[in-house]
Amino acid sequence: MLNILAETTGDLEAGLTAVGRGIVYGGAAIGPGIGIGIVVGNAISSMARQPEAAGMVRTTMFLGIAFTEALALFGFVLAFIISG
Amino acid sequence: MILGIEFPPISHVVEWPDIIGSGPLAVNKVVILMWLTVAIVFGVMYTASRRRALVPTGVQNVAEATVDFVQEGIILQTMGDDGLRWTPFLLTLFTFILVGNLWEIIPVAQMPINARIAVPAFLTLVVYLLYWSMGVVHQGPIGYLKTSTIPPGVPKAILPLVAFIELAQILIVRPLSLAVRLFANMIAGHLLLTSFAVITAAVFALSGVIVIFPFSLFLLIALTGFELLVAFLQAYIFTILAAVYIGGAIHPEH
């Protein structure tokens, strides 16, 4: 029994690392996902109300997305950095 | 049977063997694609500007549409009229990133050059140095720090916190997110297409499960179209953010 445990430890560590990576990126994507949804939803409703301001709203929307998305990108990088 | 599919490891998909030379200056597929990108962008713009017809056709049409897009869609929206001086730089940035991304879906090449962090990191370094030097030149070192870290209308009590976050923003977060956004989007798309290509090929080889073959093939084609959109969108976002950062360094009120 102990022998088997000792043999599988390496695999276990690699597997848990992979699970950790998944959790890190998945967790980091929740907030920005909600945030980008709010940004784009509000941008669309303001474009529908005032189509003549669509160009300005679109630019600002991309800016808002870029700032919100930064957190998800940190999660992406962190998932790569984690090693077993 | 499906469980027998073997996905290539990441290092297999993005690391290419050296073709010419060795060591840090070796030339591999990514470098050759980078040279091709420069040659294509230069060739299109040069031939378009040599024979300028009043009614544009062919190459001139493409070039004029691109210049128009960068001027109308990016610069006038973010930097205003006097940002038009920046057209050459931003146009170069946009076309280089766009053509570099498009290699992802062009057969035989099928490798976006921006899926190697070195390329977006270098482009980001250029933008980073540019907006810092523009800020220092136009507002002075103290003035630039002041206008970019102290937003108007913030209560005194939370000002230190806001100023610290804004300082981290212009020092670290901006360049990091600019480079990683482009890199992550391109490598994710590349891995997605690779995975579906592997699945489609493996299912095609197994004649027994021909039922799911059309699905994976259809998704592969649909995702190729989606990656076309992503390639364009990422080039647009990178350029628009570069324009906003540089414009903000020149005119603090925007």
Side-chain angles (χ1 to χ4, degrees):
Chain A
M1 184 64 191
L2 276 178
N3 279 343
I4 297 171
L5 271 182
E7 273 171 23
T8 52
T9 317
D11 280 349
L12 190 69
E13 211 176 302
L16 285 179
T17 309
V19 171
R21 287 179 176 178
I23 291 174
V24 163
Y25 181 63
I30 296 173
I34 297 170
I36 292 175
I38 293 173
V39 170
V40 176
N42 283 331
I44 289 173
S45 68
S46 64
M47 274 185 215
R49 276 164 204 260
Q50 253 180 315
E52 66 272 12
M56 202 190 71
V57 172
R58 194 179 301 117
T59 313
T60 320
M61 179 188 81
F62 277 118
L63 269 182
I65 291 176
F67 291 136
T68 320
E69 202 188 30
L71 297 172
L73 295 171
F74 289 152
F76 181 83
V77 174
L78 201 62
F80 269 117
I81 290 174
I82 291 175
S83 57
Chain B
M1 274 193 295
I2 298 289
L3 292 177
I5 297 174
E6 231 177 83
F7 286 99
I10 284 191
S11 59
H12 242 211
V13 184
V14 294
E15 280 173 17
W16 298 91
D18 300 341
I19 297 173
I20 310 167
S22 60
L25 288 179
V27 172
N28 61 9
K29 185 173 162 182
V30 179
V31 180
I32 289 177
L33 287 179
M34 221 155 75
W35 289 344
L36 274 177
T37 308
V38 174
I40 289 173
V41 170
F42 181 78
V44 167
M45 289 300 168
Y46 188 78
T47 44
S49 62
R50 278 312 88 181
R51 281 175 274 106
R52 260 179 280 182
L54 195 61
V55 181
T57 50
V59 179
Q60 197 186 345
N61 240 337
V62 175
E64 284 193 4
T66 317
V67 176
D68 241 32
F69 175 74
V70 171
Q71 287 191 333
E72 305 274 326
I74 296 177
I75 297 176
L76 288 182
Q77 305 282 347
T78 55
M79 299 169 85
D81 279 333
D82 53 340
L84 288 176
R85 302 186 288 131
W86 287 88
T87 310
F89 172 68
L90 293 172
L91 182 70
T92 314
L93 206 59
F94 177 74
T95 46
F96 179 77
I97 297 172
L98 179 62
V99 178
N101 286 351
L102 285 179
W103 289 119
E104 184 180 13
I105 54 170
I106 292 172
V108 182
Q110 282 175 330
M111 171 73 202
I113 57 172
N114 290 312
R116 301 309 307 264
I117 188 71
V119 182
F122 177 73
L123 295 175
T124 302
L125 186 68
V126 173
V127 173
Y128 185 63
L129 293 179
L130 259 177
Y131 77 71
W132 267 102
S133 52
M134 279 302 120
V136 169
V137 165
H138 284 264
Q139 306 174 33
I142 307 292
Y144 181 51
L145 276 179
K146 215 185 244 169
T147 51
S148 52
T149 55
I150 302 176
V154 173
K156 276 234 159 60
I158 57 165
L159 192 60
L161 187 66
V162 173
F164 177 73
I165 293 175
E166 292 289 325
L167 187 65
Q169 187 85 256
I170 58 169
L171 275 178
I172 306 164
V173 177
R174 272 183 185 184
L176 197 70
S177 65
L178 198 59
V180 172
R181 178 178 305 111
L182 182 57
F183 164 71
N185 274 288
M186 292 335 284
I187 200 168
H190 185 55
L191 292 179
L192 204 65
L193 289 185
T194 313
S195 306
F196 273 93
V198 168
I199 293 172
T200 309
V203 173
F204 185 65
L206 302 168
S207 51
V209 278
I210 205 76
V211 185
I212 59 171
F213 172 66
F215 294 106
S216 61
L217 182 67
F218 171 75
L219 257 177
L220 180 60
I221 295 169
L223 283 174
T224 306
F226 176 68
E227 287 308 317
L228 182 68
L229 174 76
V230 170
F232 174 78
L233 197 65
Q234 290 308 316
Y236 174 62
I237 288 180
F238 194 99
T239 318
I240 208 169
L241 285 175
V244 168
Y245 295 160
I246 295 171
I250 296 174
H251 299 293
E253 67 272 16
H254 288 309

